[in-house]
Amino acid sequence: MADRALITMEDLEAAVRANAALEAAGFRTTMVSALDDFRASLRRTDPDLLLLTGGLREPGLARTLLEIVGPRLAILGLVESTDADPAALAQRLGLSGVLVKPVPADEVVAHGRRLIERKKLQSRTGILGEHPGIQEVLAKIGQMAPVSSTVLIQGESGTGKELAAKAIHDLSPRRAKPFIAVNCAAIPETLLESELFGHEKGSFTGAAERRLGMFELADGGTIFLDEIGEMAPATQVKVLRVLEEREFFRVGGAAPIKVDVRVIAATNRPLKAAMEAGQVRPDLYYRLNVLSIYLPPLRERRSDIPLLVRRFIQDLAKQHDRPFRGMTAEAMQLLMDAPWPGNVRQLRNLIESMVVLAPAGEIRPADIPREIRDSMMRNLPVLVPGVTREVSGQELQYIVQTLLDLRLQIEDLRRRLDEMPQRVEVIDMGRRAVATGDGGEVIVGHVGGVGAGARPVEVAPMYEAQPARAPEAVVYEAGMKMADVEKAAIVAALNATRGNRRKAAESLGIGERTLYRKLKEYQLDGEPSPRT
Ligand SMILES: Nc1ncnc2c1ncn2[C@@H]1O[C@H](COP(=O)(O)OP(=O)(O)OP(=O)(O)O)[C@@H](O)[C@H]1O
Ligand SMILES: [Mg+2]
C-alpha cells in the first residue's frame, strides 16, 4: 500500500513543491491549510509522514504534537536558515528529522522515506531512540535479521539487549518458530546443562522422565543465551560444539541430536574482558563474536530521554487508565540530568510509578522521587563555577539541595498562578504600588494611570506579603481530632513564618514535601488565608 503524507501549508511554495514530488514518488498526499485543522486531518488520513513546512515555533505546536504522535508517524520539519539550533527544536517537538530551507523537493522525499522506514522498524521492534547509537543498532538489526549467524549483544543492564534479540527474531524468517530466552546466571550450574540440552530418563537422581532441553524446544527458531559470561567452563564447551556442529547430546544420552537454532548471546559486562580474565573460553568468545551489537547506556544518549519519557507516559497512562498530558519542562530537565545507572528499564519503571502515584495531569518536579534527585547530587562535578577552591561534598549537597528547594518553590508558585488564569493579568511595569484588598489578598496596581484595557494584577494570598505574627498557641479542645490539631499547628506555623513553607516545615519538624501534602489534604492549599 502506498505511504501517506500529510503536508501543512505554512510555507505554501515549499508545500506545493513537496506535494508534487511526493505524489510523483508514489505517496498519497493531503495538504492542510494550517496547524489548527491538522488534528482532524491526522485522524482522517492516518499518515505515515507528517511534513511541517513552517510554523515550528508556534506556541501550541509542541502540545498538539504531543497529543497526536503515534508510534508509527514520522514527522519531518522544514526550518528557516535563520532558525537557531534546529536540532534542539527537533528534540523539543519530538520531530523525527529536520531539513533547513531551501531544500530540493527530491531531498524531502528521500529523507521522508528514510524516516518512514526507520519509524516502521521502531514500531515493529519497540526500540525507541533517535540517537545515532540507537540508529546504528536498528540498522544492524535490519541487516542481521534475515541471516542465521550468531549474534553477540553487549550493553549494561536495562539498555534493551533482550528487546534487540527479540527484534532480530521477529524480523527474521524464523519469526513463526519459538524464541526461547535462557538466563545463564539465574540457573544453578548443575542444572544449566540439562536445561539447555535436556536429559534422558534416569540420567541423574531426580531425572524420572526424559526431558527436552531449550535447544530442542527452540528448533527452527532462536535461542537467547542471556548473561553468557556467567556460564561454567564445562557448559561453554558444549555450547561451542552446538555452534560449530549444530548438534549436541542430551545429558545421559548417546545419540547426537541435530537442531536448526539461531543463537543470540548477551552479556552486560564486556565479554572480551571476561575472556581476558579467563572466565570465558577464547574459542567461544571468537565463535560468538561473529556479528555484534552494542547498546549504549542511557547517560550516553540523553537526547533520547524526552522521547522515551513522552512515549512511556503515553503508553503507561493508557495502560493504567490515568489521564496524563505529559511532563513539565523543569521535570524533564531533572530527568535529563539524572545518572540512570539502570538505563531504560529504570526510566520506564520510574515513569510507571509516577503515572500511578502523581496527581493526574502533568508530571512536575515535586512528583519525581527524592532518590532520583539525590542521585543527581552524587553525579554533579565537585567544582562550582566561580569558586576557585574545591567544594566539599557536604557544602555541595547543601548548595544543590537549596537550588532544588528553590526550584520546587518556583514550581509551586507557577502552579498557583496557573490555577487562577482569569485573576492574573500582566500589566506594564511602571512604578508599582502594593495594597492589601479587603479579603487580605494583595493587589499590585500601577500608579499614575493604567494602560488601555488593563486591569490591576490581582495575586492570590501570598503569606510572604503579610506581616509576621507572634507564634500562637495551638489549643486542644475536647472533641478535636488529631487531624484538627495538626491542621491548627500547620496554620499557626505558617502564620508565624509569614507563609514561608520551608521555614514552617522546619519548625514543625517535617519535610517540606510532607507539608505540601498536608496542605493539600487539609485543603489549606488554595484557601484565602490560613489565619481564618
Ligand atoms: N530503546 C528502547 N526503547 C524502548 N524501550 C526500551 C529500550 N531499551 C530498553 N527498553 C525497555 O527497557 C526494559 C529493559 O530492557 P531489556 O530487558 O531488553 O534490557 P536488558 O539489556 O536485557 O537488561 P538486563 O541486562 O538487565 O537483562 C524493557 O522494558 C524494555 O522494553
Ligand atoms: Mg536482559
Side-chain angles (χ1 to χ4, degrees):
M1 207 172 72
D3 283 329
R4 291 175 299 265
L6 186 68
I7 306 160
T8 65
M9 291 196 283
E10 241 68 24
D11 178 338
L12 192 58
E13 199 191 321
V16 169
R17 277 193 288 116
N19 184 58
L22 283 163
E23 245 176 19
F27 277 82
R28 275 179 31 210
T29 63
T30 309
M31 293 214 267
V32 278
S33 60
L35 292 181
D36 17 312
D37 68 39
F38 88 162
R39 264 186 223 233
S41 314
L42 272 168
R43 240 174 282 125
R44 208 177 50 246
T45 60
D46 185 25
D48 304 281
L49 176 68
L50 170 64
L51 177 64
L52 301 168
T53 60
L56 295 186
R57 301 224 175 246
E58 300 246 326
L61 181 65
R63 192 158 291 284
T64 308
L65 290 180
L66 202 75
E67 285 164 18
I68 52 99
V69 171
R72 256 191 45 245
L73 180 66
I75 309 175
L76 176 55
L78 304 186
V79 295
E80 307 301 329
S81 55
T82 50
D83 233 323
D85 207 353
L89 183 67
Q91 187 189 314
R92 191 167 58 78
L93 295 177
L95 305 184
S96 330
V98 275
L99 290 171
V100 179
K101 295 191 227 177
V103 46
D106 54 351
E107 201 176 309
V108 173
V109 175
H111 204 75
R113 273 216 192 292
R114 271 203 300 280
L115 294 181
I116 291 173
E117 281 317 306
R118 195 201 272 182
K119 277 285 163 186
K120 283 185 179 161
L121 197 55
Q122 292 196 325
S123 87
R124 285 178 72 183
T125 59
I127 300 175
L128 305 173
E130 300 292 333
H131 186 274
I134 286 296
Q135 289 311 314
E136 190 186 322
V137 168
L138 280 166
K140 281 186 168 182
I141 287 174
Q143 290 168 332
M144 293 175 182
V147 297
S148 281
S149 317
T150 303
V151 178
L152 175 63
I153 305 178
Q154 303 188 77
E156 288 177 15
S157 181
T159 48
K161 295 184 295 297
E162 183 152 351
L163 196 60
K166 187 75 173 53
I168 294 175
H169 173 77
D170 288 343
L171 295 176
S172 79
R174 299 172 174 269
R175 72 182 75 93
K177 292 291 171 75
F179 171 85
I180 293 189
V182 189
N183 186 334
C184 304
I187 302 173
E189 201 181 311
T190 46
L191 287 184
L192 185 59
E193 237 178 79
S194 117
E195 280 291 317
L196 290 175
F197 307 114
H199 58 245
E200 295 295 346
K201 187 175 171 180
S203 56
F204 56 86
T205 328
E209 296 296 335
R210 164 195 277 183
R211 181 158 173 231
L212 300 188
M214 303 292 191
F215 272 98
E216 260 178 291
L217 295 173
D219 197 15
T222 307
I223 192 164
F224 175 56
L225 301 177
D226 204 359
E227 310 254 17
I228 187 104
E230 307 303 317
M231 193 180 268
T235 318
Q236 289 181 27
V237 179
K238 295 189 175 148
V239 168
L240 182 64
R241 185 182 152 83
V242 191
L243 290 173
E244 283 174 344
E245 319 281 340
R246 299 281 146 194
E247 65 174 38
F248 59 88
F249 295 90
R250 291 196 194 109
V251 175
I257 295 176
K258 276 221 168 289
V259 281
D260 165 27
V261 173
R262 179 181 205 171
V263 176
I264 303 180
T267 157
N268 49 33
R269 53 191 187 115
L271 202 60
K272 189 154 191 267
M275 175 190 74
E276 283 161 1
Q279 287 147 346
V280 169
R281 295 173 58 99
D283 45 8
L284 180 65
Y285 170 75
Y286 291 112
R287 194 66 195 73
L288 287 174
N289 199 14
V290 179
L291 300 177
S292 77
I293 291 179
Y294 170 67
L295 283 155
L298 192 54
R299 64 180 175 280
E300 282 174 19
R301 53 181 189 104
R302 293 181 185 276
S303 57
D304 277 344
I305 291 176
L307 174 146
L308 288 164
V309 167
R310 274 198 289 263
R311 179 61 63 75
F312 291 156
I313 292 179
Q314 252 179 19
D315 292 352
L316 294 162
K318 204 165 162 190
Q319 190 180 317
H320 294 285
D321 199 18
R322 301 261 297 149
F324 270 91
R325 283 198 306 275
M327 181 175 276
T328 64
E330 291 85 355
M332 188 70 89
Q333 194 57 51
L334 279 172
L335 295 192
M336 283 191 78
D337 295 340
W340 301 119
N343 295 296
V344 187
R345 175 184 291 115
Q346 188 190 6
L347 177 65
R348 196 186 151 89
N349 291 345
L350 173 76
I351 302 288
E352 176 154 18
S353 77
M354 292 194 294
V355 162
V356 172
L357 298 175
E362 208 164 23
I363 294 173
R364 297 162 189 272
D367 301 321
I368 295 175
R370 177 134 226 132
E371 63 267 22
I372 295 286
R373 289 188 264 138
D374 287 351
S375 68
M376 283 170 53
M377 267 181 251
R378 286 194 292 276
N379 203 35
L380 283 173
V382 238
L383 274 176
V384 175
V387 179
T388 43
R389 69 190 168 84
E390 195 154 306
V391 176
S392 78
Q394 226 175 12
E395 278 173 293
L396 184 74
Q397 181 137 349
Y398 177 75
I399 294 168
V400 176
Q401 191 55 57
T402 309
L403 287 174
L404 286 174
D405 286 347
L406 204 61
R407 211 182 231 190
L408 279 180
Q409 283 174 21
I410 293 170
E411 179 71 17
D412 180 56
L413 208 59
R414 180 174 295 166
R415 184 169 55 219
R416 284 151 141 265
L417 288 171
D418 275 356
E419 281 162 5
M420 49 182 108
Q422 73 284 21
R423 296 192 64 195
V424 178
E425 190 174 316
V426 178
I427 57 168
D428 107 58
M429 298 287 288
R431 284 181 299 138
R432 289 181 306 162
V434 177
T436 308
D438 294 345
E441 76 272 33
V442 181
I443 300 179
V444 182
H446 187 224
V447 180
V450 176
R455 281 189 292 116
V457 176
E458 272 185 38
V459 182
M462 302 273 170
Y463 308 108
E464 284 81 349
Q466 296 164 358
R469 300 183 116 210
E472 50 190 85
V474 178
V475 182
Y476 173 78
E477 286 164 13
M480 273 174 93
K481 299 216 168 60
M482 197 59 207
D484 300 323
V485 178
E486 199 176 40
K487 185 172 169 180
I490 290 172
V491 170
L494 281 168
N495 283 335
T497 58
R498 288 189 296 159
N500 183 318
R501 292 178 176 193
R502 189 174 52 77
K503 285 188 188 151
E506 215 166 75
S507 75
L508 289 165
I510 57 175
E512 210 180 337
R513 286 192 68 178
T514 311
L515 178 62
Y516 275 61
R517 190 164 46 71
K518 290 192 183 292
L519 285 173
K520 223 181 201 120
E521 194 179 311
Y522 297 134
Q523 292 170 356
L524 291 170
D525 214 16
E527 256 184 31
S529 165
R531 286 187 217 173
T532 51

